Amino acid sequence: MNNKEKVPYFCIKNERSQPVEIMALKQISSNKCFEGFQKVFEHDSIELKCKMRFGIYLPPKAEIGKCPVLYWLSGLTCTEQNFITKSGFHQAAAEHGLIVVAPDTSPRGCNIEGEDESWDFGTGAGFYVDATEEPWKTNYRMYSYIKDELPKLIKANFPADSERMSIFGHSMGGHGALILALKNPGKYKSVSAFAPICNPVQCPWGKKAFGGYLGSDLMKWEAYDATHLVKSYPDSHLDILIDQGKDDQFLSAGQLLPDNFIAACTERKIPVVFRLQQGYDHSYFFIATFVNDHIRHHAKYLNA
C-alpha cells in the first residue's frame, strides 16, 4: 500500500447486531522494522469528532494469521509518535507476534477555548476519561475511544484477534491502562505501567484534569482513579506489573502516589509486581530499558 492510500470503508456490528459505522483509514507512513511494519494511520473519530492518528506495529506473524493486540497509552504532551520512535519495543513485539497499537493522547484541533493553554490539560492531556463538563464533553471522550472505537477499528482493518487484548502505558497513560483494565474485568488479559499516576484524585495533575473534565463531583473522579477502582475489583485474576524510576522527579513531587495503589491492591489481595528502579527517571530512556520485560509480561498471557 502506498503512503496516503485510503483503506476501504468497513461496517461491523455491535453486541446488539446493529451496524456500527467505521470510518475509512488513511495511511500516513509505513516503515519496515524487524521484518514487520510500523505504520501510522489517520481516521475521522466518531467518539472524538475530529481526525485522530494512531501508530500500529504489524509483526511478521500478521502476514499469515491473526495476532493478539497490545495497546499502549502515552503520557502528557505525547502524540502517537513518542512510543513508536523512542521505546525500542519492535524487536520484542516481532518475536512474540504481537500487534502493538499506540494512539494519540487527546483530541486535536477542536477549536475549544483554552485547549492549548497548558501542557497538562486540554491538547495532549485527555487523561483517558469521558468528560462531562462543557466545553469538553463533546470531544474529550478518550475513555470510550480507547475502550470501544479504536478496538473496533483495529478489528475491522487488521489481522487482530479481538479476544486477546492487553494494555500498558506511561504516566498519564499508565493511569489510563490501569483504569481501563480495572473498569472492564476480563476485557484485557494483562496490564502494566511505567510510572503511572496511581491516585489522581489526590495529586495536582489529577485534580486539575478531573476538575476541568468532570466537574466537582468527587464520585465521578473516583470512577477514573485506579486506587479507588481496585478496591471494588471483583476478583484477583489480574496480574499487574509496574516499573517506577526511583529518581523520577514526579514521584518525589507527589504526582504518582504508587504507595497508595499498592496498599489498596494488597488489601484486596490483587497481585501487583512493583519494581522501584534505582537511578531511573520519568523519561523514555527509562521506558526503553524495561520495555522488553513488559512485552514478555503481556506475551505470557496473550499467547497462552
Side-chain angles (χ1 to χ4, degrees):
M1 189 191 305
N2 295 324
N3 283 1
K4 312 259 173 144
E5 183 178 338
K6 289 196 174 178
V7 175
Y9 171 90
F10 285 84
C11 184
I12 63 174
K13 293 185 177 181
N14 65 11
E15 291 80 2
R16 296 188 297 277
S17 295
Q18 297 167 326
V20 176
E21 188 180 6
I22 296 292
M23 295 294 187
L25 299 179
K26 183 173 79 170
Q27 182 168 288
I28 302 300
S29 64
S30 179
N31 300 94
K32 191 169 184 179
C33 188
F34 292 100
E35 302 307 314
F37 285 90
Q38 175 62 60
K39 296 173 179 280
V40 174
F41 288 91
E42 183 176 84
H43 71 106
D44 291 307
S45 169
I46 298 161
E47 284 287 356
L48 309 179
K49 297 176 177 59
C50 67
K51 289 189 183 299
M52 290 293 286
R53 290 186 178 188
F54 63 88
I56 182 168
Y57 179 66
L58 299 168
K61 281 185 182 175
E63 297 271 338
I64 55 172
K66 289 188 175 183
C67 296
V69 185
L70 178 56
Y71 288 88
W72 167 269
L73 304 182
S74 286
L76 290 164
T77 75
C78 291
T79 69
E80 81 288 342
Q81 288 292 320
N82 297 70
F83 184 70
I84 68 176
T85 57
K86 293 181 176 181
S87 71
F89 76 90
H90 296 93
Q91 185 170 11
E95 289 172 358
H96 292 285
L98 304 184
I99 292 173
V100 180
V101 177
D104 203 346
T105 54
S106 77
R108 292 188 187 264
C110 297
N111 298 314
I112 300 171
E113 186 177 353
E115 68 181 350
D116 296 322
E117 284 182 3
S118 57
W119 63 274
D120 56 358
F121 184 79
T123 301
F127 264 86
Y128 305 103
V129 304
D130 284 349
T132 57
E133 300 300 298
E134 296 287 1
W136 312 100
K137 66 181 184 181
T138 300
N139 304 97
Y140 276 68
R141 297 180 50 79
M142 286 299 292
Y143 175 78
S144 289
Y145 176 72
I146 300 297
K147 181 173 82 77
D148 299 319
E149 183 178 358
L150 188 57
K152 287 171 184 171
L153 197 67
I154 299 304
K155 179 183 179 182
N157 289 283
F158 302 99
D161 183 348
S162 60
E163 298 300 309
R164 293 185 291 159
M165 290 194 303
S166 288
I167 192 163
F168 67 152
H170 170 232
S171 194
M172 178 185 72
H175 142 78
L178 290 173
I179 65 166
L180 276 145
L182 291 168
K183 285 168 76 70
N184 300 281
K187 185 177 180 73
Y188 302 98
K189 300 294 186 187
S190 51
V191 61
S192 72
F194 294 85
I197 302 171
C198 291
N199 196 186
V201 303
Q202 297 287 351
C203 77
W205 280 339
K207 289 176 182 178
K208 179 177 180 177
F210 286 8
Y213 296 137
L214 304 173
S216 58
D217 184 348
L218 291 182
M219 288 191 69
K220 287 184 184 176
W221 294 23
E222 290 175 357
Y224 292 106
D225 182 296
T227 298
H228 283 272
L229 288 167
V230 81
K231 293 173 183 176
S232 57
Y233 191 73
D235 60 49
S236 60
H237 300 298
L238 185 66
D239 193 346
I240 304 168
L241 169 64
I242 296 176
D243 272 315
Q244 172 64 61
K246 192 173 182 182
D247 288 2
D248 186 328
Q249 67 272 36
F250 300 116
L251 177 65
S252 55
Q255 294 282 19
L256 308 178
L257 305 174
D259 292 348
N260 297 357
F261 180 69
I262 294 161
C265 288
T266 302
E267 190 178 318
R268 289 282 294 117
K269 296 183 170 57
I270 290 176
V272 55
V273 175
F274 178 77
R275 308 193 305 186
L276 192 61
Q277 304 289 7
Q278 186 74 36
Y280 286 91
D281 58 19
H282 199 71
S283 72
Y284 266 85
F285 296 108
F286 159 60
I287 295 170
T289 303
F290 300 105
V291 72
N292 287 357
D293 291 351
H294 286 246
I295 298 285
R296 280 192 294 269
H297 168 77
H298 295 293
K300 180 171 68 175
Y301 296 95
L302 290 170
N303 291 326

